[in-house]
Amino acid sequence: MPSRIFNFFPGPCTLPLSVLEKARDEFVNYQDSGMSLWETSHRTPAYEEIHNAAKDLMHEVFQIPDTHDILMISGGGTLQFAMIPMNFLTAGKFAQHVITGWWAKRALDDARSVGDARVIASSEDVNYKYVPKDFKVDPKAEYLYVTTNNTIVGSELHEYPETGDIPIIADMSSDILTRPVPWDRIGLSFAGLTKNLGPGGMAVVIARKDMIEKSNKSLPTYLRYDIHSEHNSMFNTPAMFCIYIMKGILEWTKEQGGLEAMDRKADWRANKIYGVIDKYPEYYQCLVDKQDRSRTNLCFRLPTKEMDKKFSIEALAENMSGLAGYFQYGFCRASLYNAMPDEGVEKLEQFMIDFMERNPA
Ligand SMILES: *Cc1c(COP(=O)(O)O)cnc(C)c1O
């Protein structure tokens, strides 16, 4: 195996090589301190600097206004499925959920185990082949819950809905840091680190300060947003390694030209691969409607299931991994996150054409 292959896995997924190399170099003896950062108290200046820089960089790079606070909470994106309703869906309140995929469904299930979570729109009946947009949010709803990118089915919410005074709660796990966000509409958003931001096991939560203030105060401490906020996400020992890598990725993002560059690059990557799909519609077929296609998780199928399988196996032999889709769906999926090198996209583009020529329908 070569030292580095093109990694198209949906998450955990490819991370910037320079960030990994720097972590390797600093791993055992952090900045000549004679010990690693992982053996250092999180209350030391060495760690606190990283912790605060990660937050500041997140504000800066993702263009988050001061109306919102950034929390770093263990438990990944998945814990947020529970924390959100526990904090905001208290007795007498209800939430409205847009169901656009597998993760949206998981969030709904968890919300329903806590309180009154209602479905406002869903494309489940057609295998999530589109993202519903024609709905009117009830002005009495506590929040509208959306998933901005559907990692498994390969669709994306390209426009944030207009919801008036109703805050949007958004799962941005798989398209965070790929485009600007209308923060004035976002009550709370979150992302499991494991896609664009680092190793698994932690989530970054971006929450409007008044939402934090009105969160449920009768929960066990770790589950309270206000506690995390008051303690600057150091209520307990934070996920130091996750935060260290996230900081590195945010620095890298800035060096690459920031959010605008990420946005432009996401377009470029998606256009390359969808370009092949659209050019050979008899051979490659997308699973979602054109206007709702994801820029980070591109799902497509070949003429037969056997060919889907062959595609990902032969791609691996050419050092492109992770192209098989989610097991329940059985198609191909190319995840093109921010750290995907241009050469990886070009190589996949060429491979798709070669594969088709070698294996006619
Ligand atoms: C990966 C993912 C999650 C879960 O994140 P974890 O950190 O693995 O818990 C949630 N939502 C979406 C959209 C995801 O892609």
Side-chain angles (χ1 to χ4, degrees):
M1 268 283 159
S3 65
R4 189 101 181 136
I5 64 177
F6 293 116
N7 175 351
F8 294 93
F9 274 105
C13 56
T14 191
L15 298 175
L17 179 60
S18 61
V19 176
L20 299 176
E21 286 173 340
K22 182 160 183 257
R24 175 199 59 202
D25 294 345
E26 293 184 335
F27 198 87
V28 175
N29 184 356
Y30 184 71
Q31 295 190 348
D32 278 329
S33 62
M35 60 181 170
S36 74
L37 204 54
W38 335 117
E39 299 164 295
T40 310
S41 164
H42 56 291
R43 309 279 176 203
T44 55
Y47 175 72
E48 277 185 1
E49 197 183 301
I50 290 167
H51 191 88
N52 292 325
K55 278 182 63 176
D56 293 346
L57 278 161
M58 184 58 96
H59 264 296
E60 183 189 341
V61 178
F62 206 18
Q63 300 165 7
I64 303 163
D66 285 339
T67 45
H68 290 62
D69 195 8
I70 291 161
L71 312 174
M72 299 181 283
I73 304 175
S74 296
T78 302
L79 182 63
Q80 296 309 307
F81 295 162
M83 272 180 77
I84 289 162
M86 289 169 107
N87 275 275
F88 304 115
L89 212 50
T90 42
K93 294 177 176 165
F94 71 93
Q96 294 191 302
H97 284 237
V98 186
I99 305 303
T100 48
W102 198 87
W103 292 109
K105 202 68 191 297
R106 298 288 82 73
L108 177 72
D109 289 347
D110 272 2
R112 283 185 164 164
S113 76
V114 173
D116 185 2
R118 304 176 188 175
V119 175
I120 188 172
S122 170
S123 54
E124 188 183 7
D125 58 333
V126 289
N127 255 325
Y128 305 116
K129 114 187 197 36
Y130 71 101
V131 175
K133 294 165 203 92
D134 290 332
F135 51 80
K136 264 216 130 33
V137 184
D138 189 322
K140 292 192 291 299
E142 200 55 23
Y143 56 84
L144 176 76
Y145 185 99
V146 299
T147 309
T148 60
N149 187 74
N150 300 286
T151 324
I152 290 177
V153 300
S155 69
E156 193 167 5
L157 184 74
H158 292 295
E159 297 275 341
Y160 283 79
E162 293 284 355
T163 53
D165 291 335
I166 309 299
I168 295 175
I169 291 191
D171 176 355
M172 302 181 173
S173 292
S174 49
D175 69 349
I176 191 164
L177 273 181
T178 63
R179 55 177 168 149
V181 169
W183 291 110
D184 56 334
R185 285 181 236 170
I186 305 291
L188 182 148
S189 71
F190 67 93
L193 238 56
T194 183
K195 312 286 159 51
N196 265 328
L197 290 174
M202 198 193 102
V204 62
V205 175
I206 303 159
R208 220 168 60 201
K209 289 173 181 166
D210 63 293
M211 292 286 285
I212 296 174
E213 266 161 40
K214 73 173 187 189
S215 62
N216 186 355
K217 309 292 187 292
S218 55
L219 295 169
T221 46
Y222 196 79
L223 300 172
R224 286 172 52 179
Y225 288 120
D226 65 318
I227 295 271
H228 288 283
S229 176
E230 268 166 38
H231 290 83
N232 188 27
S233 301
M234 287 216 245
F235 175 65
N236 67 332
T237 317
M240 293 161 73
F241 186 69
C242 288
I243 293 167
Y244 167 86
I245 297 285
M246 182 171 94
K247 173 190 168 258
I249 290 175
L250 289 163
E251 283 167 344
W252 173 86
T253 307
K254 210 174 136 176
E255 281 159 25
Q256 300 294 306
L259 194 59
E260 283 72 27
M262 294 301 119
D263 199 0
R264 212 167 43 240
K265 264 300 162 69
D267 263 342
W268 178 82
R269 285 191 290 263
N271 285 336
K272 281 250 175 222
I273 303 306
Y274 286 133
V276 178
I277 292 169
D278 290 340
K279 194 161 168 201
Y280 305 105
E282 316 281 86
Y283 200 82
Y284 290 110
Q285 254 185 352
C286 261
L287 286 102
V288 297
D289 291 352
K290 195 163 182 174
Q291 73 275 9
D292 297 328
R293 296 194 298 206
S294 167
R295 297 191 303 171
T296 44
N297 308 101
L298 289 69
C299 296
F300 54 92
R301 76 173 142 228
L302 281 74
T304 65
K305 272 208 172 330
E306 289 66 41
M307 284 159 116
D308 285 345
K309 218 173 184 169
K310 195 164 182 235
F311 182 90
S312 58
I313 293 170
E314 289 190 9
L316 184 59
E318 296 195 25
N319 297 326
M320 291 178 283
S321 66
L323 285 160
Y326 188 68
F327 69 95
Q328 282 180 341
Y329 290 81
F331 40 66
C332 296
R333 170 174 50 181
S335 293
L336 307 176
Y337 292 111
N338 286 353
M340 174 57 65
D342 294 355
E343 307 83 70
V345 180
E346 281 159 355
K347 186 162 176 168
L348 177 61
E349 180 191 28
Q350 191 56 48
F351 177 80
M352 288 173 81
I353 295 166
D354 294 347
F355 185 89
M356 182 179 63
E357 283 166 1
R358 278 203 306 274
N359 302 276

